Amino acid sequence: MRNKLRFLIGLALLMAIIAGCSSNNETESNEGNTDGDSEAVSENTSIDTLKVSFVPSRDPEEIVTATEPLKELLKEELGNLGYDVKNVDINVGTTYEAVGEALSAGTTDVGLIPGGTYVLYDDGAEVVLTATRAALSNDSENPKDWNENKPTEGLEDKQATYYRSIIIAGPSEKGQELAEKVNSGEELTWEDLKSARWSVQSTSSSAGYIYPTLWLQDKFGKSITDLDNAVQSNGYGDSFAKLAAEQVDIVVGYADARRDNVDKWTADFAREATIWDETNVIGVTQPIFNDTVSISKNSEIMTDDLKAAIQDAFINIAQTEAGKEVIAIYSHEGYQKAEGSNYDGERDAQEFLKNLK
């Protein structure tokens, strides 16, 4: 009986020791996990202001209004990627060059700029993304094909990494004369074009200056600087206003800029017929690589990690309905990561233009 009692007391003590050890192990394990979680959770990097600049390819007020939601979208996405941004400052440069200069100087952090502007300022700007757009129903190098297949429409099931510049003749007597010649299968002459009044964009605009110059060089061995009547407009909206008012005969722009001016043509510009009825393509350039999202190499806040976060943020934003509405102001539909070498063709174009001067 005494032995049995001793056995039971020993068994009880053993079970108590085992239970105590298990409890201690669990506590140590939990404490260890807590420490691990604490180390895994790191605070976001705080940024006071992220400055984003747009080029004036549309009316500046229209761009500012359309891109207002981008502020909160960027804050949210960058927050998820490790950066708490207090303010996103969005502005529209007075010219394409102004945005390029701001990137080079570090007075803006991010710029949505064409390839031509990026190449001119790549000493201080770095391309991180290229835009994708819906392909167009017209892509022929023959302008007559564009006129026989009006209106130009976007293809929802196909994305494009490039676009073209087109030379558009308007409703003026001279514009109609040039269009009739092209549509009848005749070749335009240098005299035909030299005698017309042109509206062009700033010299760093790919679609509004550089590639039309290359087209003139290829066709006639000439440049925009050789035209007698070429004026620089303040954006494409200004160009189409001049075309509608018959102040100019020809405008140059991205394909197909007429799609963005359909309503304005009859409402704001007071034309009776549609823009498709009153305008015709008389020239088509070689492909141009799409717009960029570029960052400043001289920004005080820019790091490799922030650059990667900005890339991912724009890609993610473009996949949301709210984001799609914002980037539609530039006809962007998405973004892909880019390398500077993607724009080597643009560098060749710039070098060629320098030699023309």
Side-chain angles (χ1 to χ4, degrees), residues 61-279:
E61 290 186 7
E62 187 179 354
I63 294 173
V64 169
T65 300
T67 58
E68 177 66 25
L70 182 61
K71 295 178 180 179
E72 293 304 319
L73 291 172
L74 274 173
K75 287 181 184 179
E76 181 179 353
E77 284 297 332
L78 289 173
N80 294 334
L81 294 165
Y83 291 88
D84 290 331
V85 180
K86 296 179 182 176
N87 301 294
V88 175
D89 178 14
I90 292 179
N91 64 82
V92 180
T94 54
T95 63
Y96 288 49
E97 291 87 352
V99 179
E101 289 169 2
L103 286 167
S104 290
T107 54
T108 196
D109 306 304
V110 180
L112 279 80
I113 57 177
T117 307
Y118 155 66
V119 168
L120 277 178
Y121 295 94
D122 64 357
D123 57 334
E126 179 184 353
V127 61
V128 294
L129 296 169
T130 188
T132 62
R133 292 185 176 99
L136 297 177
S137 56
N138 287 313
D139 190 41
S140 171
E141 294 185 356
N142 184 349
K144 184 180 178 181
D145 293 339
W146 291 67
N147 301 330
E148 292 178 346
N149 188 32
K150 293 190 290 187
T152 301
E153 297 178 346
L155 303 178
E156 295 182 0
D157 60 344
K158 186 177 180 181
Q159 292 283 299
T161 57
Y162 70 86
Y163 63 106
R164 298 179 187 271
S165 173
I166 53 177
I167 295 91
I168 303 169
S172 67
E173 183 178 352
K174 182 65 176 181
Q176 292 297 299
E177 174 191 321
L178 296 174
E180 184 177 350
K181 195 169 183 179
V182 167
N183 291 334
S184 64
E186 294 184 57
E187 291 288 336
L188 295 177
T189 67
W190 171 244
E191 289 303 319
D192 288 332
L193 298 174
K194 186 179 180 181
S195 59
R197 298 165 298 172
W198 291 59
S199 175
V200 300
Q201 302 303 310
S202 62
T203 56
S204 69
S205 171
S206 297
Y209 192 94
I210 297 170
Y211 281 79
T213 291
L214 295 177
W215 180 80
L216 288 171
Q217 177 65 27
D218 181 58
K219 296 287 185 181
F220 310 104
K222 302 292 184 179
S223 168
I224 283 177
T225 56
D226 294 315
L227 295 168
D228 289 338
N229 301 296
V231 295
Q232 181 177 317
S233 295
N234 297 318
Y236 289 113
D238 185 34
S239 281
F240 277 96
K242 286 183 170 68
L243 192 69
E246 301 186 26
Q247 295 172 358
V248 297
D249 309 303
I250 295 172
V251 299
V252 292
Y254 58 90
D256 193 331
R258 293 176 295 178
R259 298 175 66 215
D260 295 326
N261 289 275
V262 170
D263 294 335
K264 288 182 178 180
W265 191 259
T266 52
D268 298 353
F269 305 153
R271 299 297 304 189
E272 293 185 3
T274 71
I275 195 170
W276 303 109
D277 292 331
E278 294 199 295
T279 66

Side-chain angles (χ1 to χ4, degrees), residues 39-67:
E39 291 175 3
V41 176
S42 59
E43 291 185 0
N44 282 0
T45 300
S46 179
I47 294 175
D48 184 59
T49 302
L50 179 71
K51 297 177 183 177
V52 181
S53 298
F54 289 80
V55 294
S57 61
R58 301 277 290 269
D59 180 80
E61 290 186 7
E62 187 179 354
I63 294 173
V64 169
T65 300
T67 58

